[in-house]
Amino acid sequence: MQRLLLLPVLLLGTVSALHLENDVPHLQSLETEADLGQDLVSSREQERDLALTKEVTQAKGEEVKASACQDASEDEEAMESDPAALDKDFQCPREEDTVEVQGSPRCKACHYLLVQTPTTFTNAQNICSKCYGGNLLSIHSFNFNYRIRHYASTTNQAQVWIGGILRGWFLWKRFCWTDGSHWNFAYWSPGQPGNGRGCCVALCTKGGYWRRAQCKKQLPFLCSF
């Protein structure tokens, strides 16, 4: 009688064991899928973090480029806000350090002057304004550029300042003239202005081409008034 009662118990134990063995692969499969899901989520998070890092790096790079072109405008703002900074040790060029440049036949009232004493772009603009009531020279045609190059070559310098300057930020950066006239002509050297450095424009005395230059560089300059 006892043996008959034990038989169903043994059968139930065997069936339960078989069910457990069958469930093991299924449980392992679920665990594997969960692990893969976690790996996928982690991978996506890493990609997102890398993308954000790249965007931040690019933004910082653009800020560095923009700030490098901000030096000239900051100098100008400082001079305008503090006239005493200009008056301190400020002297107009001596007559023997200047060369009068023949003007355009179309503008008999226009006067141009080559100042042979090297100085920074900002100081050059201030001298043109304070000493002659004008601005650094703007150029609007090939013929006039050729005439100016002829006079500039007498300085024995490789470059002279003209009135072009890069202003603005990022996609809104553009070249303009300090006298406010329209930028309707340019005579850039090969590779310029894209591969140039600096935010101010200098005219090469050989060839008459234009190049970007650091505004703190000291060069002779041309005034118009």
Side-chain angles (χ1 to χ4, degrees):
M1 189 69 177
Q2 292 178 351
R3 291 179 180 178
L4 291 175
L5 292 173
L6 289 172
L7 184 59
V9 174
L10 292 172
L11 290 173
L12 287 173
T14 303
V15 171
S16 299
L18 289 173
H19 278 293
L20 287 173
E21 290 178 359
N22 291 331
D23 288 342
V24 168
H26 178 65
L27 291 173
Q28 291 177 343
S29 176
L30 290 175
E31 291 177 355
T32 302
E33 291 178 1
D35 292 339
L36 290 174
Q38 291 178 355
D39 291 341
L40 183 60
V41 171
S42 298
S43 177
R44 288 176 179 173
E45 290 178 350
Q46 289 177 355
E47 290 177 358
R48 185 176 67 252
D49 292 342
L50 287 173
L52 290 173
T53 302
K54 186 176 181 180
E55 290 177 1
V56 171
T57 302
Q58 290 176 345
K60 287 183 178 179
E62 290 175 350
E63 288 174 2
V64 169
K65 293 178 182 178
S67 64
C69 287
Q70 195 179 9
D71 293 342
S73 59
E74 287 179 348
D75 289 344
E76 290 176 355
E77 290 175 1
M79 291 296 184
E80 290 175 358
S81 61
D82 185 13
L86 284 175
D87 295 335
K88 183 180 179 181
D89 299 329
F90 180 83
Q91 292 182 349
C92 290
R94 297 177 303 176
E95 186 176 353
E96 55 265 32
D97 294 330
T98 63
V99 177
E100 188 173 355
V101 178
Q102 183 179 357
S104 171
R106 296 181 180 180
C107 183
K108 295 182 179 180
C110 298
H111 300 279
Y112 308 102
L113 197 69
L114 171 64
V115 181
Q116 297 177 319
T117 306
T119 189
T120 64
F121 181 92
T122 301
N123 286 340
Q125 170 61 25
N126 287 321
I127 289 172
C128 292
S129 176
K130 281 187 164 289
C131 298
Y132 308 111
N135 293 278
L136 282 169
L137 180 72
S138 60
I139 301 175
H140 302 277
S141 71
F142 174 81
N143 289 337
F144 187 56
N145 190 79
Y146 179 82
R147 185 182 299 113
I148 292 299
R149 183 212 65 81
H150 172 73
Y151 285 98
S153 62
T154 62
T155 62
N156 295 322
Q157 296 279 343
Q159 297 176 335
V160 295
W161 289 128
I162 55 177
I165 184 171
L166 182 64
R167 286 179 172 151
W169 293 91
F170 302 111
L171 298 177
W172 295 274
K173 288 188 294 186
R174 62 186 180 89
F175 286 94
C176 55
W177 296 110
T178 56
D179 63 6
S181 59
H182 185 55
W183 186 276
N184 56 1
F185 173 79
Y187 198 57
W188 295 109
S189 295
Q192 297 281 326
N195 295 330
R197 299 188 62 184
C199 301
C200 296
V201 181
L203 180 144
C204 299
T205 55
K206 291 184 178 180
Y209 291 103
W210 303 357
R211 298 186 66 87
R212 290 172 61 179
Q214 297 290 339
C215 300
K216 295 180 180 180
K217 189 174 183 179
Q218 295 197 357
L219 298 173
F221 55 97
L222 288 150
C223 295
S224 64
F225 52 96

